[in-house]
Amino acid sequence: MTDLGSAFRAAFGRPAEGVWHAPGRINLVGEHTDYNDGLVLPFALSRGVSVAAARRDDGLVEVRSRQADGTVTAPADGGTVVSEGWPAERAWAAYPVGMARVLREHGTGGASLLIDSDLPQGAGLSSSAALECATALALCDLHGVEIDRPELARLAQRAENEQVGMPCGLMDQSASLLATPGHALMLDCRSGLSAQVPFDPSRAGLTLLAVDTRASHALTGGDYGRRRAECEEAAALLGVDALRDVKDLAGALGRLRDPVLRRRVQHVVTENHRVEASAGLLRAGAVAELGAMLNASHLSLRDQFEISWPEADAAVDAALRAGARGGRMIGGGFGGSVIVLTASDRADRVRDAIAAAYAKRGWTAPEFLDAVPSAGARRLA
């Protein structure tokens, strides 16, 4: 993402007024708990989405990307797309335009935006939330609008829910905006309250690997929404506002006749417990013990929530056989990435084992990223 300011001038014929960056995220533990008003424990990556931007006085949002062809121009206050419509290959533009439309209610206006990203596409590292958050910071700074970051995260979530049609929870946007280096973010998705929890694997002689399984996912499809609907149905049958409120798991499972709903409830309730336990381990400096939490989370996501995929299961199995402390799928499921916690001196062995497992099955080779807890969204220039 080098020299984005110069690229902006070349694209729009005028200088950018600034460049803003928002990171992707990895969630240590707490999958599909966010929209159930539960707990999550994500951290920010060093990679993310950057936006160079300048104000416009005509109320339009003009968006270009260095990863896609063409330009999308739309009114910031709603209405139909001004350019050629919204073809599938430009669906990415719904995220910045949707963010602009939500923020228009708070006093922002038009802008020209040039987007760049170094996050792998389809890897489940939340490039969409990073795009929303970088756009949000840019628009607020350009138009002199002050919104505190927890509220800005909720507005970014609203943009994705309403403008894009993705029924996500609050985690991704909060992680991108609130994370700090060397920490995970303990977030209560009901209250929006958060706390920074120390997390520096390298100090414990450990490495956290992110493994892009190369099985791309698209959460705007029906499977993600179906899981959320199942959770909401179960909560209604149990007479609670959200599955976060289930205190007696055995009693709740006994009241549900549908085995699918019982599995969904079991995952969400136990996953919230795993988040609390994981945060406690990190505060106690017991980072290596986090591996057991990762393993339990993966099994629950695979067997109770039923959203894992063959490449993820193979990666976790190969990593554990090679001596990793633990691993699990991350993200919404049905494709994306896996995280693996391993002793640093075993990291190469773990990578080789996962690569060999993929080669044996004739799959596309996975890609690896050392996942280091990094800074949240910020203005770069």
Side-chain angles (χ1 to χ4, degrees):
M1 294 190 289
T2 58
D3 206 10
L4 191 55
S6 296
F8 182 94
R9 182 187 289 272
F12 293 104
R14 61 192 180 111
E17 295 180 51
V19 178
W20 293 261
H21 175 83
R25 64 91 188 94
I26 278 177
N27 188 25
L28 277 176
V29 185
E31 222 64 80
H32 287 265
T33 52
D34 57 348
Y35 57 77
N36 287 292
D37 282 358
L39 306 174
V40 293
L41 192 63
F43 65 87
L45 291 167
S46 59
R47 298 189 186 189
V49 175
S50 292
V51 173
R55 284 169 291 185
R56 293 176 65 109
D57 296 327
D58 55 7
L60 297 179
V61 180
E62 183 181 12
V63 190
R64 300 185 187 184
S65 170
R66 298 180 85 176
Q67 282 71 50
D69 295 329
T71 302
V72 172
T73 306
D77 59 356
T80 58
V81 174
V82 174
S83 62
E84 311 160 337
W86 216 300
E89 63 270 19
R90 298 185 188 175
W92 58 269
Y95 295 93
V97 172
M99 192 73 251
R101 288 179 173 174
V102 168
L103 287 176
R104 184 71 181 87
E105 302 170 11
H106 297 263
T108 67
S112 296
L113 308 171
L114 179 63
I115 295 161
D116 199 8
S117 173
D118 60 1
L119 285 169
Q121 296 298 304
L125 302 178
S126 198
S127 58
S128 58
L131 175 53
E132 293 157 0
C133 294
T135 300
L137 289 185
L139 291 173
C140 286
D141 280 0
L142 289 174
H143 294 280
V145 173
E146 294 187 8
I147 301 174
D148 66 45
R149 292 207 171 194
E151 176 61 18
L152 197 59
R154 290 198 179 275
L155 292 173
Q157 178 200 13
R158 179 185 155 200
E160 189 156 347
N161 292 168
E162 297 178 1
Q163 299 290 330
V164 181
M166 167 59 189
C168 66
L170 184 63
M171 175 181 68
D172 294 349
Q173 295 82 2
S174 296
S176 190
L177 285 166
L178 302 176
T180 60
H183 292 81
L185 182 76
M186 176 72 163
L187 174 68
D188 183 326
C189 294
R190 170 171 285 169
S191 67
L193 296 176
S194 63
Q196 303 291 337
V197 181
F199 179 52
D200 185 354
S202 63
R203 294 187 64 182
L206 298 166
T207 295
L208 188 71
L209 297 175
V211 185
D212 180 359
T213 69
R214 307 297 296 280
S216 183
H217 73 161
L219 295 184
T220 50
D223 288 325
Y224 184 97
R226 190 173 303 115
R227 293 303 186 280
R228 180 164 185 165
E230 289 165 349
C231 291
E232 291 171 350
E233 179 184 358
L237 290 172
L238 294 171
V240 294
D241 291 336
L243 292 184
R244 190 257 182 83
D245 298 313
V246 174
K247 305 301 181 186
D248 177 8
L249 178 58
L253 297 180
R255 292 168 57 192
L256 294 171
R257 300 180 61 183
D258 186 336
V260 172
L261 297 186
R262 287 202 295 269
R263 291 196 294 272
R264 305 302 184 250
V265 171
Q266 183 167 344
H267 166 72
V268 172
V269 173
T270 58
E271 188 80 345
N272 276 317
H273 293 326
R274 283 187 285 272
V275 173
E276 292 181 306
S278 297
L281 289 172
L282 295 184
R283 290 186 177 109
V287 181
E289 304 309 313
L290 187 66
M293 296 294 108
L294 302 184
N295 292 335
S297 178
H298 183 74
L299 291 175
S300 183
L301 289 161
R302 185 190 71 187
D303 300 335
Q304 305 300 329
F305 223 65
E306 300 174 286
I307 60 170
S308 191
W309 62 101
E311 292 88 344
D313 296 336
V316 171
D317 181 66
L320 295 178
R321 289 177 182 273
R325 302 286 303 193
R328 75 175 191 92
M329 60 146 286
I330 60 171
F334 313 106
S337 294
V338 161
I339 55 172
V340 173
L341 183 68
T342 181
S344 296
D345 59 9
R346 287 181 177 264
D348 287 342
R349 185 187 307 177
V350 169
R351 290 187 186 95
D352 291 345
I354 295 172
Y358 274 49
K360 180 179 178 180
R361 293 165 172 81
W363 293 339
T364 301
E367 295 185 353
F368 299 92
L369 168 69
D370 286 355
V372 179
S374 302
R378 58 205 183 275
R379 185 170 183 157
L380 298 179

